[in-house]
Short mmCIF file of all heavy atoms in Angstrom, two decimals:
data_model
loop_
_atom_site.label_atom_id
_atom_site.label_comp_id
_atom_site.label_asym_id
_atom_site.label_seq_id
_atom_site.Cartn_x
_atom_site.Cartn_y
_atom_site.Cartn_z
N PRO A 18 -19.28 -26.52 -23.79
CA PRO A 18 -19.07 -25.77 -22.55
C PRO A 18 -17.66 -25.20 -22.40
O PRO A 18 -17.41 -24.44 -21.45
CB PRO A 18 -19.33 -26.83 -21.45
CG PRO A 18 -20.03 -27.94 -22.12
CD PRO A 18 -19.55 -27.94 -23.53
N ALA A 19 -16.75 -25.55 -23.30
CA ALA A 19 -15.35 -25.17 -23.13
C ALA A 19 -15.02 -23.81 -23.73
O ALA A 19 -13.87 -23.39 -23.72
CB ALA A 19 -14.45 -26.23 -23.76
N SER A 20 -16.02 -23.10 -24.26
CA SER A 20 -15.73 -21.81 -24.89
C SER A 20 -16.92 -20.88 -24.75
O SER A 20 -18.05 -21.31 -24.49
CB SER A 20 -15.37 -21.99 -26.38
OG SER A 20 -16.44 -22.60 -27.07
N SER A 21 -16.66 -19.60 -24.95
CA SER A 21 -17.71 -18.59 -24.88
C SER A 21 -17.41 -17.49 -25.89
O SER A 21 -16.26 -17.36 -26.33
CB SER A 21 -17.79 -18.01 -23.46
OG SER A 21 -18.87 -17.10 -23.33
N TRP A 22 -18.43 -16.71 -26.27
CA TRP A 22 -18.21 -15.68 -27.28
C TRP A 22 -18.89 -14.37 -26.90
O TRP A 22 -19.84 -14.34 -26.13
CB TRP A 22 -18.70 -16.13 -28.66
CG TRP A 22 -20.19 -16.26 -28.79
CD1 TRP A 22 -20.95 -17.38 -28.56
CD2 TRP A 22 -21.12 -15.25 -29.19
NE1 TRP A 22 -22.27 -17.13 -28.79
CE2 TRP A 22 -22.41 -15.82 -29.18
CE3 TRP A 22 -20.99 -13.90 -29.55
CZ2 TRP A 22 -23.55 -15.11 -29.53
CZ3 TRP A 22 -22.13 -13.18 -29.89
CH2 TRP A 22 -23.39 -13.78 -29.88
N ARG A 23 -18.38 -13.30 -27.45
CA ARG A 23 -18.96 -11.96 -27.35
C ARG A 23 -18.69 -11.21 -28.65
O ARG A 23 -17.73 -11.52 -29.36
CB ARG A 23 -18.35 -11.16 -26.20
CG ARG A 23 -18.55 -11.74 -24.82
CD ARG A 23 -19.98 -11.62 -24.33
NE ARG A 23 -20.10 -12.03 -22.94
CZ ARG A 23 -20.26 -13.28 -22.52
NH1 ARG A 23 -20.29 -14.27 -23.41
NH2 ARG A 23 -20.37 -13.57 -21.23
N VAL A 24 -19.53 -10.25 -28.96
CA VAL A 24 -19.25 -9.32 -30.06
C VAL A 24 -18.79 -8.01 -29.43
O VAL A 24 -19.45 -7.48 -28.54
CB VAL A 24 -20.51 -9.08 -30.93
CG1 VAL A 24 -20.25 -7.96 -31.93
CG2 VAL A 24 -20.89 -10.35 -31.67
N VAL A 25 -17.65 -7.50 -29.86
CA VAL A 25 -17.10 -6.26 -29.30
C VAL A 25 -17.03 -5.20 -30.39
O VAL A 25 -16.83 -5.50 -31.57
CB VAL A 25 -15.69 -6.48 -28.70
CG1 VAL A 25 -15.73 -7.49 -27.59
CG2 VAL A 25 -14.69 -6.89 -29.76
N ARG A 26 -17.25 -3.98 -29.97
CA ARG A 26 -17.08 -2.83 -30.86
C ARG A 26 -15.81 -2.11 -30.41
O ARG A 26 -15.67 -1.73 -29.26
CB ARG A 26 -18.28 -1.88 -30.75
CG ARG A 26 -18.17 -0.64 -31.63
CD ARG A 26 -19.37 0.26 -31.47
NE ARG A 26 -20.59 -0.42 -31.88
CZ ARG A 26 -21.80 0.12 -31.79
NH1 ARG A 26 -21.96 1.34 -31.26
NH2 ARG A 26 -22.86 -0.55 -32.17
N TRP A 27 -14.88 -1.93 -31.36
CA TRP A 27 -13.60 -1.35 -31.00
C TRP A 27 -13.74 0.14 -30.72
O TRP A 27 -14.46 0.85 -31.43
CB TRP A 27 -12.58 -1.55 -32.13
CG TRP A 27 -12.29 -2.98 -32.45
CD1 TRP A 27 -12.58 -3.63 -33.61
CD2 TRP A 27 -11.67 -3.95 -31.60
NE1 TRP A 27 -12.17 -4.95 -33.54
CE2 TRP A 27 -11.61 -5.17 -32.32
CE3 TRP A 27 -11.16 -3.91 -30.31
CZ2 TRP A 27 -11.06 -6.32 -31.80
CZ3 TRP A 27 -10.61 -5.07 -29.78
CH2 TRP A 27 -10.56 -6.24 -30.51
N PRO A 28 -13.04 0.65 -29.69
CA PRO A 28 -13.07 2.09 -29.43
C PRO A 28 -12.33 2.86 -30.52
O PRO A 28 -11.54 2.29 -31.28
CB PRO A 28 -12.35 2.21 -28.07
CG PRO A 28 -11.47 1.01 -28.00
CD PRO A 28 -12.20 -0.08 -28.74
N GLN A 29 -12.59 4.14 -30.59
CA GLN A 29 -11.98 5.02 -31.60
C GLN A 29 -12.29 4.56 -33.03
O GLN A 29 -11.61 4.95 -33.97
CB GLN A 29 -10.44 5.10 -31.44
CG GLN A 29 -9.99 5.86 -30.19
CD GLN A 29 -9.95 4.96 -28.96
OE1 GLN A 29 -9.45 3.84 -29.02
NE2 GLN A 29 -10.48 5.45 -27.85
N ALA A 30 -13.32 3.72 -33.15
CA ALA A 30 -13.80 3.30 -34.48
C ALA A 30 -12.68 2.74 -35.35
O ALA A 30 -12.65 2.93 -36.56
CB ALA A 30 -14.47 4.48 -35.20
N ARG A 31 -11.75 2.01 -34.75
CA ARG A 31 -10.70 1.38 -35.54
C ARG A 31 -10.26 0.10 -34.86
O ARG A 31 -10.39 -0.06 -33.65
CB ARG A 31 -9.49 2.32 -35.69
CG ARG A 31 -8.83 2.69 -34.38
CD ARG A 31 -7.61 3.58 -34.55
NE ARG A 31 -7.03 3.96 -33.27
CZ ARG A 31 -6.22 3.18 -32.56
NH1 ARG A 31 -5.89 1.98 -33.03
NH2 ARG A 31 -5.73 3.58 -31.40
N MET A 32 -9.71 -0.80 -35.66
CA MET A 32 -9.21 -2.06 -35.15
C MET A 32 -7.85 -1.82 -34.48
O MET A 32 -6.95 -1.27 -35.10
CB MET A 32 -9.06 -3.06 -36.28
CG MET A 32 -8.71 -4.46 -35.84
SD MET A 32 -10.16 -5.36 -35.24
CE MET A 32 -11.02 -5.68 -36.79
N PRO A 33 -7.67 -2.19 -33.22
CA PRO A 33 -6.37 -1.98 -32.56
C PRO A 33 -5.30 -2.88 -33.16
O PRO A 33 -5.59 -3.94 -33.74
CB PRO A 33 -6.65 -2.36 -31.11
CG PRO A 33 -7.82 -3.27 -31.16
CD PRO A 33 -8.65 -2.83 -32.32
N GLU A 34 -4.03 -2.46 -33.02
CA GLU A 34 -2.92 -3.25 -33.55
C GLU A 34 -2.81 -4.60 -32.86
O GLU A 34 -2.50 -5.61 -33.48
CB GLU A 34 -1.61 -2.47 -33.40
CG GLU A 34 -1.54 -1.22 -34.27
CD GLU A 34 -0.21 -0.52 -34.14
OE1 GLU A 34 0.68 -1.07 -33.46
OE2 GLU A 34 -0.04 0.56 -34.74
N ASN A 35 -3.05 -4.62 -31.56
CA ASN A 35 -2.99 -5.86 -30.79
C ASN A 35 -4.35 -6.09 -30.14
O ASN A 35 -4.60 -5.66 -29.02
CB ASN A 35 -1.88 -5.80 -29.74
CG ASN A 35 -1.60 -7.16 -29.11
OD1 ASN A 35 -2.48 -8.03 -29.05
ND2 ASN A 35 -0.38 -7.35 -28.65
N GLY A 36 -5.24 -6.75 -30.91
CA GLY A 36 -6.60 -6.94 -30.42
C GLY A 36 -6.68 -7.77 -29.17
O GLY A 36 -7.49 -7.50 -28.28
N ARG A 37 -5.84 -8.80 -29.07
CA ARG A 37 -5.91 -9.68 -27.90
C ARG A 37 -5.51 -8.93 -26.63
O ARG A 37 -6.13 -9.09 -25.58
CB ARG A 37 -5.01 -10.90 -28.12
CG ARG A 37 -5.56 -11.87 -29.15
CD ARG A 37 -4.64 -13.06 -29.35
NE ARG A 37 -5.22 -14.04 -30.25
CZ ARG A 37 -5.14 -13.96 -31.57
NH1 ARG A 37 -4.52 -12.93 -32.13
NH2 ARG A 37 -5.70 -14.89 -32.34
N ALA A 38 -4.46 -8.10 -26.72
CA ALA A 38 -4.04 -7.33 -25.54
C ALA A 38 -5.12 -6.35 -25.13
O ALA A 38 -5.40 -6.16 -23.94
CB ALA A 38 -2.73 -6.60 -25.85
N GLU A 39 -5.76 -5.72 -26.12
CA GLU A 39 -6.85 -4.78 -25.84
C GLU A 39 -8.00 -5.48 -25.14
O GLU A 39 -8.59 -4.97 -24.19
CB GLU A 39 -7.33 -4.16 -27.15
CG GLU A 39 -8.52 -3.23 -27.03
CD GLU A 39 -8.15 -1.84 -26.56
OE1 GLU A 39 -6.96 -1.48 -26.64
OE2 GLU A 39 -9.06 -1.12 -26.11
N LEU A 40 -8.31 -6.68 -25.59
CA LEU A 40 -9.41 -7.43 -25.00
C LEU A 40 -9.12 -7.81 -23.55
O LEU A 40 -10.00 -7.76 -22.69
CB LEU A 40 -9.69 -8.69 -25.82
CG LEU A 40 -10.34 -8.44 -27.19
CD1 LEU A 40 -10.29 -9.71 -28.02
CD2 LEU A 40 -11.78 -7.97 -27.01
N ARG A 41 -7.89 -8.19 -23.28
CA ARG A 41 -7.54 -8.57 -21.91
C ARG A 41 -7.63 -7.37 -20.97
O ARG A 41 -7.96 -7.51 -19.80
CB ARG A 41 -6.15 -9.22 -21.88
CG ARG A 41 -6.14 -10.61 -22.50
CD ARG A 41 -4.84 -11.37 -22.25
NE ARG A 41 -4.99 -12.77 -22.59
CZ ARG A 41 -4.62 -13.30 -23.76
NH1 ARG A 41 -4.09 -12.53 -24.68
NH2 ARG A 41 -4.80 -14.59 -24.00
#
């Protein structure tokens, strides 16, 4: 119960430099 997950598709079809900031 202490965690959760999602699958995300990055915009602009590329991995952002700071994925965690983008997610927030």
Side-chain angles (χ1 to χ4, degrees):
S20 60
S21 185
W22 69 269
R23 298 289 187 275
V24 172
V25 300
R26 179 180 298 177
W27 299 114
Q29 290 84 45
R31 62 178 178 81
M32 188 79 73
E34 293 183 5
N35 192 333
R37 289 179 175 84
E39 176 80 17
L40 289 168
R41 289 191 167 96

